[in-house]
Amino acid sequence: MLRLRYSDQSKEDLKEIAKDKPIAASEWSARLGEKCGMLAKHPEVGDDRADLGDGIRPTCVGSYTIFCRRREETLEIVRVRRSDLEFPFP
């Protein structure tokens, strides 16, 4: 299993999600955490989206998309965004 690392931007994304859904924040946090843990075990999940950045793989949880990439023995959670928003990459 890879070590899980959250980028500073993904931490900010998670804070925004908690603001958007304060009543459901703990449930969403648990669901997102479970999915990130599963991704650390199976980092090949999701399509390789090199057009978004080196090694970026998105996967969905409800109405959110987790963007992650493998960095050696670490899985970096790059962003967590509502799926209806534009891609968060240049």
Side-chain angles (χ1 to χ4, degrees):
M1 183 167 138
L2 300 176
R3 195 177 89 229
L4 201 53
R5 178 190 174 282
Y6 291 84
S7 72
D8 290 340
Q9 187 60 57
S10 71
K11 291 175 187 176
E12 289 301 315
D13 293 340
L14 292 170
K15 286 178 189 176
E16 288 300 314
I17 291 168
K19 283 184 200 174
D20 288 345
K21 299 180 178 287
I23 295 173
S26 62
E27 179 186 334
W28 273 107
S29 178
R31 286 184 68 193
L32 289 169
E34 286 175 21
K35 186 70 162 202
C36 290
M38 185 277 301
L39 291 170
K41 292 179 185 175
H42 306 284
E44 70 286 348
V45 168
D47 295 329
D48 185 358
R49 292 293 309 269
D51 58 314
L52 300 177
D54 185 37
I56 297 291
R57 290 182 175 272
T59 189
C60 293
V61 176
S63 59
Y64 291 87
T65 302
I66 299 169
F67 296 89
C68 60
R69 68 175 146 217
R70 184 176 183 161
R71 298 281 191 194
E72 298 177 14
E73 297 304 313
T74 301
L75 183 74
E76 179 185 24
I77 305 303
V78 179
R79 297 292 307 260
V80 181
R81 303 290 289 169
R82 273 199 348 249
S83 298
D84 61 342
L85 297 176
E86 292 182 25
F87 283 117
F89 301 97

